[in-house]
Amino acid sequence: MKAAEPLVLRCGQKLPNRIAKAAMSERLGDAGFAPGEPLARLYTRWSAGGSGLLITGNVMIDPAHTGEPGNVVLEDDRHLPAFAAWAEASKRFGSRCWMQINHPGRQAPRTLDAAPVAPSAVPMKGMGGAFRPPRALTANEIEDVLDRFARTAALAERAGFDGVQIHAAHGYLISQFLSPRTNLREDAWGGDAERRRAFLVECVRRVRKATGAGFALSVKINSADFQKGGFDQEESMAVAVALDAEGIDLLEISGGTYEHPEMAQSARESTRAREAFFLEYATQLRDRYEGHLMLTGGLRSVDGIRAALEVSRVDVVGLARPLAVEPDLPRRLLDGTSKAAIEAGPSTGIDAFDRALAAPWHELQLHRMSRGEAPDPRLGALRTAVWYLRDHLRAGGRARRGG
Ligand SMILES: Cc1cc2nc3c(=O)[nH]c(=O)nc-3n(C[C@H](O)[C@H](O)[C@H](O)COP(=O)(O)O)c2cc1C
């Protein structure tokens, strides 16, 4: 099966197979935003599970702007030995490990960010007031954010990670630069499609300059934001083509934002014809994109993976939620002992509850593994809700105290 074949990237780095663990924010950073033993334990487990590539959950580039309680931040070499231990654990059984690097922009909860920044002062819609309206970044601040992305990438390389992935999807800062709904600037960073993508292109260039030749550089983008007047498929394809010209190593395709979370559909919502949510887009992009492509979202079975790799001709498939429940699923899919992921998730019978609890339910599985426990596919909705509320109240208290 093609999924078992190694892949050599443009930078010369070799992935042992084509199944990647897509980023899942672990929220396991300590009070000083550093990774610790729990993260190392979780990633050892994933490394033993057979994924050729592990992409970490988003690591923030600035402690003043984080997206979730418990985020890890990498901005200087204070905690480098802890990052090195995390990288070592992630690669223990032969997988490669790349750090996803991110800035939340306006998608920073008010409990964590007293003064969120964004390309323009466009507030989040709805969301029950969980996010403060952002202010627009100045030109000097934009330079600083770009330098921070480059600095974090250089530190990730020093710590022993094999690459970084710039998070330009899901409505975070770079995604906000890309979207005409959230980027109303009329300077070098906005005004038309080329200037809206200038931040991302410049970010790629600075990260490349700050890192070594064999260090992989990936970008995760949305196929679309699925919002009227937002970042659409045509503009996304133009971004992909521009990134191809920059020579990046792997472009991961996803979709959606907090306002319209298309990436968080349940597998039940994907059709039999296309297990992967963004398959049509990937198939169309294939003819226009020379480099390596990764497709994430909805993939659950050997048949679905085969269709993505062999029919749509993407190079890598990304799995996220299934690996929160079955960390060794890649090994079993590759050796033929499993045909598909088990169906698991909160199931109260009320769709809105199940949706709201899906992310915490998966996070709690990561936290179980980080303590050395097995994931629990039958984990109840009530236990998830209680854990989530407690965890956020604790984190809110820490944030108010400045911890
Ligand atoms: C708990 C959780 C945390 C996530 N955190 C991130 C993240 O930090 N960065 C990111 O790019 N995507 C994140 N995602 C999205 C996944 O990478 C993926 O795009 C999405 O879950 C669809 O893939 P799946 O159907 O295989 O789960 C997260 C998903 C979950 C469930």
Side-chain angles (χ1 to χ4, degrees):
M1 146 159 161
K2 181 114 191 252
E5 291 173 13
L7 176 70
V8 179
L9 301 167
R10 278 171 166 162
C11 68
Q13 188 173 125
K14 190 171 170 180
L15 304 182
N17 64 55
R18 313 295 183 103
I19 300 183
K21 181 200 81 70
M24 273 184 284
S25 190
E26 309 86 5
R27 304 205 301 99
L28 285 167
D30 68 18
F33 303 106
E37 188 54 34
L39 265 173
R41 212 176 283 125
L42 171 62
Y43 275 76
T44 306
R45 181 129 192 181
W46 271 325
S47 181
S51 302
L53 172 64
L54 302 177
I55 301 176
T56 70
N58 57 182
V59 169
M60 296 296 168
I61 60 168
D62 184 346
H65 302 291
T66 59
E68 301 142 307
N71 276 156
V72 171
V73 178
L74 180 54
E75 62 162 351
D76 56 33
D77 59 10
R78 247 177 306 167
H79 303 294
L80 218 55
F83 282 95
W86 182 15
E88 191 277 323
S90 311
K91 304 197 299 181
R92 197 164 294 162
F93 295 95
S95 32
R96 296 284 187 173
C97 186
W98 300 352
M99 180 188 285
Q100 186 183 65
I101 56 179
N102 194 20
H103 185 305
R106 67 178 191 156
Q107 277 187 175
R110 62 168 60 238
T111 47
L112 296 178
D113 195 336
V117 291
S120 304
V122 180
M124 302 277 286
K125 270 221 175 106
M127 319 297 292
F131 302 89
R132 281 179 222 272
R135 72 169 174 81
L137 286 159
T138 65
N140 281 343
E141 286 170 332
I142 288 177
E143 291 296 327
D144 176 59
V145 179
L146 285 164
D147 285 341
R148 278 183 174 273
F149 270 104
R151 190 156 61 239
T152 300
L155 289 162
E157 183 175 26
R158 273 177 61 195
F161 288 87
D162 299 305
V164 286
Q165 178 176 72
I166 297 170
H167 197 350
H170 301 173
Y172 295 107
L173 181 75
I174 302 183
S175 183
Q176 290 156 35
F177 269 101
L178 292 172
S179 168
R181 280 171 69 100
T182 44
N183 182 348
L184 311 178
R185 301 181 75 96
E186 284 293 343
D187 58 4
W189 310 107
D192 57 34
E194 195 177 340
R195 283 179 288 163
R196 281 192 290 275
R197 67 175 177 262
F199 184 93
L200 174 56
V201 170
E202 184 58 25
C203 191
V204 163
R205 290 181 183 162
R206 290 195 196 185
V207 166
R208 263 289 190 242
K209 218 168 142 201
T211 54
F215 189 73
L217 171 48
S218 169
V219 176
K220 183 167 185 170
I221 60 163
N222 279 349
S223 53
D225 286 352
F226 302 93
Q227 286 180 301
K228 207 162 172 234
F231 184 65
D232 61 18
Q233 191 158 314
E234 200 184 311
E235 201 160 328
S236 170
M237 293 237 179
V239 172
V241 169
L243 294 172
D244 202 13
E246 295 297 319
I248 65 164
D249 292 294
L250 189 66
L251 180 69
E252 181 181 351
I253 298 161
S254 188
T257 66
Y258 280 19
E259 287 176 337
H260 203 291
E262 205 65 23
M263 65 292 193
Q265 297 172 54
S266 77
R268 282 192 293 276
E269 291 167 285
S270 62
T271 63
R272 218 171 270 281
R274 56 144 190 86
E275 180 169 301
F277 307 147
F278 311 112
L279 192 71
E280 288 91 342
Y281 171 93
T283 312
Q284 281 178 40
L285 180 61
R286 181 70 286 174
D287 292 330
R288 296 173 59 180
Y289 192 90
E290 282 181 20
H292 293 120
L293 289 174
M294 168 169 161
L295 179 61
T296 299
L299 285 158
R300 298 293 178 265
S301 71
V302 168
D303 288 346
I305 290 172
R306 194 168 276 148
L309 292 174
E310 293 172 19
V311 183
S312 299
R313 291 175 295 123
V314 304
D315 304 283
V316 176
V317 288
L319 275 71
R321 286 166 290 182
L323 302 196
V325 190
E326 299 179 273
D328 61 343
L329 182 66
R331 186 174 46 70
R332 286 188 281 106
L333 293 174
L334 292 171
D335 71 16
T337 50
S338 285
K339 289 274 170 254
I342 57 172
E343 259 190 56
S347 72
T348 57
I350 303 168
D351 218 41
F353 282 167
D354 290 350
R355 270 173 202 276
L357 286 174
W361 189 91
H362 287 91
E363 277 174 11
L364 184 45
Q365 306 287 3
L366 307 191
H367 284 229
R368 288 176 65 87
M369 287 193 273
S370 78
R371 296 191 296 260
E373 296 165 21
D376 177 6
R378 285 197 295 271
L379 186 71
L382 188 62
R383 262 175 67 199
T384 306
V386 169
W387 170 78
Y388 184 75
L389 288 175
R390 266 206 205 129
D391 193 65
H392 275 69
L393 284 176
R394 248 197 328 264
R398 258 204 319 266
R400 274 191 298 279
R401 288 193 303 275

